[in-house]
Amino acid sequence: MPKGRRTRKVEVRRKREFTLKGHTLAQLREMPLEELAKFLTARARRSIRRGFNEEQRRFLDRIATTPAEEPLKTHCRDVLILPGHVGRRVAIHNGKEFKEIEVRPEMIGHYYGEFSLTRRFEKHSGPGVGATRSSKFMPLK
């Protein structure tokens, strides 16, 4: 072995436990909603302070009562993801179809609509024959 090179020992990577502003997921689940709001963004704090509307409340009741392994379909894209939703499967409507996601701890404080995009990226090909003046001289192979 050449001089100056060190052999490295392979370290086993341990999956880090999720924390939000120093609080674990178990602690976040036990917190009241007003206490949790202190650790979220301004938009999420405002939504919590103003309260949930009837449609959002109905969705939150449904997510609390249905079994965790069953995906829950919803059109409510403006509902905050709370710590009690982690591990659930939710199918969110994007205007055309339901896109199923599994809620992970990193999603806390975001809205469900952020994870079911409504616009699709469309990659256009080159111009067709006769579309531009220069395409008149393109070889037709």
Side-chain angles (χ1 to χ4, degrees):
M1 189 178 262
K3 193 174 182 177
R5 279 196 174 174
R6 282 193 244 163
T7 59
R8 291 188 177 195
K9 294 181 182 178
V10 178
E11 292 182 24
V12 178
R13 279 196 156 176
R14 192 173 60 114
K15 193 170 182 181
R16 289 185 6 183
E17 186 179 12
F18 171 78
T19 58
L20 179 72
K21 308 272 183 165
H23 297 279
T24 63
L25 183 59
Q27 291 171 332
L28 292 172
R29 282 188 171 158
E30 309 230 341
M31 273 184 203
L33 202 54
E34 294 77 26
E35 187 71 26
L36 174 69
K38 293 177 183 175
F39 305 114
L40 301 179
T41 59
R43 175 78 256 170
R45 282 195 306 269
R46 181 174 166 84
S47 294
I48 291 172
R49 190 178 70 237
R50 292 174 65 101
F52 300 118
N53 63 28
E54 186 59 37
E55 191 179 14
Q56 292 170 338
R57 254 189 249 109
R58 213 174 323 129
F59 174 74
L60 292 173
D61 291 340
R62 276 181 41 216
I63 206 165
T65 57
T66 56
E69 56 276 346
E70 184 179 316
L72 187 63
K73 285 187 172 185
T74 185
H75 284 259
C76 289
R77 300 171 53 82
D78 61 342
V79 178
L80 266 175
I81 297 178
L82 301 173
H85 303 179
V86 174
R88 302 296 309 258
R89 289 194 346 247
V90 180
I92 307 149
H93 200 260
N94 66 0
K96 179 180 178 183
E97 61 195 5
F98 287 95
K99 184 175 179 195
E100 192 173 310
I101 62 161
E102 184 171 350
V103 181
R104 296 188 309 272
E106 296 83 23
M107 298 177 177
I108 294 173
H110 290 271
Y111 289 87
Y112 279 107
E114 295 179 49
F115 302 102
S116 179
L117 301 178
T118 58
R119 293 178 179 93
R120 186 181 67 207
F121 176 72
E122 187 65 46
K123 185 177 182 212
H124 297 284
S125 61
V129 175
T132 62
R133 300 288 288 161
S134 63
S135 68
K136 205 185 304 185
F137 305 105
M138 298 276 291
L140 296 172
K141 282 190 179 181

